[in-house]
Each structure stands twice: as C-alpha cells, then as structure tokens.
Amino acid sequence: MATGRLGVGETLGALNTALGPGDPVWFKETRARHLRARDFLAPRPALQARFGDGQVPERVVRAVAGLQGPGVAPVLRCAPTPAGLALQLQRPAVFERVLGAVAAYVAPAAPAAPGPRVLLHCPALRSAPGALRLSQLRAVLVADHLARTLRAHGESVRLVPAVRDPHMPTFLQQLRVDWPAASERAATEALRNRALAELSPAQERGALPRGVLGTVCLKELVQERGRAAGYDPNLDKCLVTEDLLSVLAELQEAARCWPGDSPPSLAAVPDANADRCMVVHVVSCEEEFQQQKVDLLWRKLDDQAPLTQKHLVCGPVKVAGAPGTLTAPEYYELRHAQVCKASAVKHGRDLAQDPAWTEVFSVLSVATIKFEMLSTAPHGQLLLALADSISTKGTKSGTFVMYNCARLATLFEGYRHSMEQGLYPTFPPVSSLDFSLLQDEGEWLLLFNGILPFPDLLSQTAALACTAPGLHTTARTETMCKFLVQLSMDFSSYYNRIHILGAPRPHLFGQMFARLQLLRAVREVLHTGLATLGLPPLDHI
C-alpha cells in the first residue's frame, strides 16, 4: 500500500501542472450534489481560455487520468463533461490511505521554511475585566486563537503584556484564554533617557502632570515611512508618560530576550536583533490610533526595535437591542444564564447547581462566545443578537458543535459498553478494514470535506501576511469556526440517517468498523479544531 499523507494542495498543484503552463484552473468540489459525480473540476470557460476551442488534447486527459506523485490522491477517471473536465478519485483507496493514518491528518502541513518568531501584543489586557469592552474582548480572543494556531504550526510565539490586574487571570481562565500572568516590571531607564533627549523644548511643555515627561514629535517619522505605510496622517505628537515607557520596556524586553536564547551582549550591534521577530499588535478599532503612536515611539526610542511591526485591527462589535456599554464579564454572565436556562428546558430541571454540570455549562458558555466572536473575519463589524436563545439545534453556534462532539463521545462509549457485554468484537486492526464498504455519500462528504483538507486548513489559520507592505495585516481566524460548524452539520446529517451500531450480526461488523474508523477520524479533527479555540471536548450536554 502507498504511504505518505495525501493533500488537496498537492493534488491541485499536480492537476494544474498536467494541463501545461498557465494560471490554475482546477478547483475542489465541496457540494454534495456535485460530489455525486466528480471530486475536482476544470471549468469549461477556463479550458476555452487555455486551449482556444475548449477541447482538451487527448494526451492531456490521459496525463491527468494517470496522475501520480507525492501527496497526490489516486485518480479513477477523468472525462470531458458539459461543465468542464471532471475528475473522480479512487475513493476506496483514498479512504484507506487517510483512515489508515489518521494522526497525519490532524497535524498542520509542514511549512516550506520556518517562519519568524512572533510577538503577539494585545494592549486590551492591561485593563481590568470590568473595563473590558466587547470590541476589546474580541481582540483578546483573536490573539489567543492566533497564538494557539501558530504554536500548533510549530512557530515560536510570545505573548505581551503579562496581565497585572489581580482579577484578570481568573476571568481569562473562565474564558479559557491562555495568557501569562504578571512578572517583574522591565527597566525603563534607557528608554527614559532616550525620551528625554527627544522631548519637545521646555518652553512648549509648560507645567506637566505627575508621571508625564513631555511630548515627542512623530510627524517626521510618519513622513519618513511614507503614506503607503498606512499610518494615520493625523499622527503628530505623542505624550510620553511613565506608564507608556513601561509598555515599551515590556515590549522591548520580550522582543530581545527570547526563551532559550543566550543573554544579549552589551556590545550588540544596533539592528542586529531587529529582524529576529515580527510584532503583531492585536487591537480593537478604538485602540488603533494609540497603538500606532506606541509603534512609532518604539521605533524612535529603540534602535533595535523590530523592523516588522504589523497591526491586526479588529472591527467594532455592535449589540442589537442593548446599550453599547455592556462589558465582557456582563456578556459572559448573560450567555452563561442562557445556557443554564436552555439546559433546564431540555432536561426538565435546573442543573445549574449540580457540580457534575458546572464544567459543562462553563464550556458551553465559552463556546457560544468564541464562535460568536470568531466566526466573522477580524476586520469586519460584528453584530451580536443577545436576545437569541441558546440551543443545540441551531446549526451556526458553538453549542451545536459541542453537542455533536458529545454525540460522538456517546457513540464510542456505547460501542465500548456493548463490546464489554460481548455484543461486539474488539476493534480489529485498521489495516484489515474494508473501506470499499463506505459507499454512502455522507461518508465521502465527511472524509473529502472534513478530514482530507484539515492539515491545509490548520496551516491557513496560522498564516500571517508578514511580508506584504504596509502597516496592517490580516489573519483568517474565522476559518476554524466556520469549518467546525460545517463539519458538525455534515456529521449530524449523516448520523441522523445512518444507524452506526447496528444489530450484532457478524456479516455487518465489517461495515460497522469501517464507519467507526471514519468517525474516529472525524472526532480527532473536531477535538484538534476545538483545541485551537481553547475548548475541551464534552462527553455529555
């Protein structure tokens, strides 16, 4: 049997290469009605642009049909159709390759080259929980998800600031946000001396409040970096305070003293470490202007400030039918109360005080919040409908994903219990399973849309546009939530139609075990995806 992980990207790359020079034309099908007849399609208009009359030479069709190579899925047939050139894979062989090596499909695709070290800075975490606005909470959740996906991809990540408010660690733990707690404050003396040398003339400063050193002009630096850099043209002067110097000192220390590195030399050459890491400031839209000042002031006062500083700006959060003053803790308490109420309706009794359900309600509340906050691209405006009830039946929510995670746990617990009773045999070696018995279209949908592309999806969620010019960057933090919702919908549809644990008849065991192995892989994908959101799997709901 062939080995090595199959990849959607590798297959598409080989298909496009087989057509000859030109832009990519092949795409992967995702809709169930199209997957009944084909898995990949080269659309007719694209073929007409490539081959003139749209007739693909027979030698090219034969080359596509015989496609092989590392990571390339085995091809069954390739034929012209009214829609274009349609390709179908050898599905039993793909099932065997993927389900025989599930662990390989719950890890991200290996990067072509190591990425830069990433310093994630979320200034919202310098406040107390009660002062945290919903737009700032969104930035915190985006930063946490981004850190988890980057680390899953093997990147080296540091998080700043270390939270100092005594109540913030408890609140972050409640939200299942993994962020460092306070450490010793970094020394600010060198930065203060440099700032004092850059301050505006004394006659322009006048009497200054306590803790304020003066103002530093940033206009020249903005002009030097150019309008295309993306800085606000209204940036002129920055009020330098002791608190601001503490912020810069913490950033400076985090960028220079990476864990595992030897201590920096006192004779370090300026700019020697400036390109060793990329700083990503994850901010709400309300904080963007101030953060640009911090960015420029750091560059002005520190010759070794990282050359690459990017700003990931999260759009506003609007609340339908509620005042805009709702704080993050109030939002959590509202969703938690709704989760408890929905559970009481479902189970016919109030379980909020039952210790066995405390963790479940906490996870469901956080899942609801994270899927609400992260299912929209970070830069877009987010509208929250707080009056909406919480239900496991809605197909767009975090509770729906957690519900289907619990259904999978119940399924495998049911198999284990029946096996212990002697109704089913022990699970056979995966290499002995007959995956040609997986013929339901829902089974192919789960594998082709859920398991096979998952490594590429993990890599996409960790992709930062760090080489693009300009101040701003984007991140696809919405991708995972949307994927998990769709996978849960596909699983739910399949599970509602197909009775997995059938009658204990030996001639049915082969198909049952093939299906269980498929759903084992679905479970692993779900658990891995939820881990990037800081959510543990649930076994009941």
Side-chain angles (χ1 to χ4, degrees):
M1 183 182 74
T3 59
R5 182 166 70 182
L6 301 179
V8 173
E10 291 87 339
T11 303
L12 285 171
L15 288 172
N16 284 307
T17 299
L19 289 184
D23 294 332
V25 298
W26 287 93
F27 71 88
K28 174 187 173 295
E29 292 286 11
T30 57
R31 295 185 178 181
R33 63 188 180 93
H34 291 150
L35 288 171
R36 292 172 190 140
R38 61 183 184 247
D39 299 316
F40 295 91
L41 180 72
R44 180 166 294 281
L47 295 175
Q48 288 174 337
R50 175 73 64 89
F51 296 105
D53 59 359
Q55 295 296 314
V56 182
E58 184 60 31
R59 59 176 176 78
V60 174
V61 176
R62 287 197 304 270
V64 171
L67 211 58
Q68 294 182 358
V72 178
V75 177
L76 176 64
R77 67 173 67 91
C78 177
T81 69
L85 198 58
L87 180 141
Q88 191 173 54
L89 300 178
Q90 298 177 28
R91 293 184 175 182
V94 175
F95 272 121
E96 183 178 358
R97 290 277 296 276
V98 174
L99 299 182
V102 172
Y105 293 87
V106 291
R117 295 167 165 179
V118 180
L119 179 63
L120 284 178
H121 174 221
C122 187
L125 287 170
R126 291 192 172 87
S127 67
L132 206 61
R133 299 187 300 272
L134 294 186
S135 56
Q136 292 176 305
L137 174 63
R138 185 184 190 186
V140 170
L141 297 181
V142 165
D144 178 63
H145 177 48
L146 189 56
R148 292 175 190 274
T149 55
L150 286 167
R151 284 170 172 159
H153 203 244
E155 305 290 0
S156 181
V157 180
R158 290 199 74 178
L159 305 176
V160 173
V163 294
R164 299 187 180 280
D165 181 90
H167 304 292
M168 185 62 85
T170 301
F171 183 60
L172 293 181
Q173 186 178 15
Q174 194 174 47
L175 290 173
R176 285 166 169 75
V177 169
D178 187 12
W179 207 270
S183 56
E184 294 183 5
R185 289 187 180 273
T188 61
E189 184 178 353
L191 286 168
R192 183 186 292 105
N193 292 338
R194 182 72 178 266
L196 290 172
E198 297 282 351
L199 291 179
S200 302
Q203 61 267 27
E204 294 183 16
R205 287 184 260 159
L208 296 173
R210 181 180 178 85
V212 177
L213 301 181
T215 58
V216 168
C217 181
L218 300 176
K219 198 80 172 177
E220 183 179 332
L221 193 53
V222 172
Q223 293 171 347
E224 177 187 311
R225 300 194 68 79
R227 184 177 297 273
Y231 289 96
D232 192 306
N234 296 313
L235 280 169
D236 184 5
K237 295 180 179 180
C238 177
L239 191 68
V240 181
T241 66
E242 294 289 353
D243 286 343
L244 184 54
L245 289 181
S246 292
V247 169
L248 290 180
E250 185 175 17
L251 286 167
Q252 181 187 65
E253 184 177 89
R256 289 185 181 180
C257 306
W258 213 265
D261 283 355
S262 56
S265 167
L266 294 175
V269 179
D271 294 337
N273 298 323
D275 60 349
R276 295 182 66 184
C277 81
M278 173 177 68
V279 180
V280 180
H281 304 285
V282 186
V283 297
S284 65
C285 52
E286 298 94 339
E287 298 168 314
E288 180 182 9
F289 187 76
Q290 177 62 24
Q291 193 53 49
Q292 289 188 19
K293 287 185 179 182
V294 174
D295 173 325
L296 290 168
L297 188 63
W298 189 5
R299 296 177 192 274
K300 193 174 185 72
L301 302 185
D302 183 4
D303 293 331
Q304 296 185 54
L307 299 177
T308 304
Q309 292 189 52
K310 294 290 187 178
H311 294 239
L312 178 55
V313 181
C314 298
V317 178
K318 305 294 184 182
V319 180
T325 55
L326 192 71
T327 66
E330 290 170 342
Y331 173 44
Y332 175 85
E333 292 302 328
L334 174 64
R335 287 304 189 212
H336 187 269
Q338 289 173 328
V339 164
C340 293
K341 182 179 178 180
S343 178
V345 171
K346 178 180 177 181
H347 296 282
R349 57 194 178 97
D350 186 2
L351 298 169
Q353 305 305 317
D354 186 338
W357 287 86
T358 302
E359 177 75 359
V360 173
F361 292 157
S362 174
V363 172
L364 287 176
S365 303
V366 175
T368 300
I369 290 170
K370 289 192 173 185
F371 275 78
E372 282 180 328
M373 287 279 181
L374 297 174
S375 291
T376 301
H379 60 272
Q381 176 175 297
L382 180 61
L383 180 64
L384 295 180
L386 297 184
D388 288 356
S389 60
I390 305 297
S391 171
T392 59
K393 302 302 181 184
T395 57
K396 301 296 182 183
S397 67
T399 49
F400 176 71
V401 175
M402 302 309 293
Y403 169 64
N404 283 285
C405 184
R407 293 173 87 186
L408 276 165
T410 301
L411 169 68
F412 283 99
E413 178 59 25
Y415 163 72
R416 186 190 65 80
H417 182 68
S418 296
M419 182 192 67
E420 290 175 351
Q421 290 184 323
L423 297 176
Y424 299 135
T426 57
F427 208 97
V430 175
S431 58
S432 69
L433 299 180
D434 182 2
F435 292 111
S436 67
L437 298 172
L438 297 179
Q439 297 182 354
D440 185 90
E441 67 177 35
E443 291 158 354
W444 182 246
L445 203 65
L446 287 169
L447 183 118
F448 194 60
N449 285 347
I451 304 166
L452 183 63
F454 189 60
D456 291 333
L457 180 126
L458 282 173
S459 298
Q460 291 165 12
T461 58
L464 280 168
C466 56
T467 58
L471 178 71
H472 296 99
T473 188
T474 56
R476 299 179 62 180
T477 51
E478 77 281 5
T479 306
M480 184 59 71
C481 288
K482 291 182 175 179
F483 170 84
L484 292 175
V485 166
Q486 186 60 57
L487 179 60
S488 297
M489 290 172 64
D490 291 340
F491 164 71
S492 182
S493 175
Y494 173 71
Y495 193 68
N496 289 340
R497 286 189 301 103
I498 303 297
H499 190 51
I500 307 298
L501 300 179
R505 298 172 184 170
H507 70 282
L508 298 177
F509 288 160
Q511 186 178 56
M512 182 188 76
F513 284 125
R515 286 172 169 170
L516 283 173
Q517 180 63 13
L518 170 65
L519 296 183
R520 269 183 173 177
V522 170
R523 181 182 61 179
E524 290 302 309
V525 168
L526 268 175
H527 289 188
T528 303
L530 289 171
T532 70
L533 299 169
L535 293 170
L538 294 178
D539 57 10
H540 66 283
I541 192 170

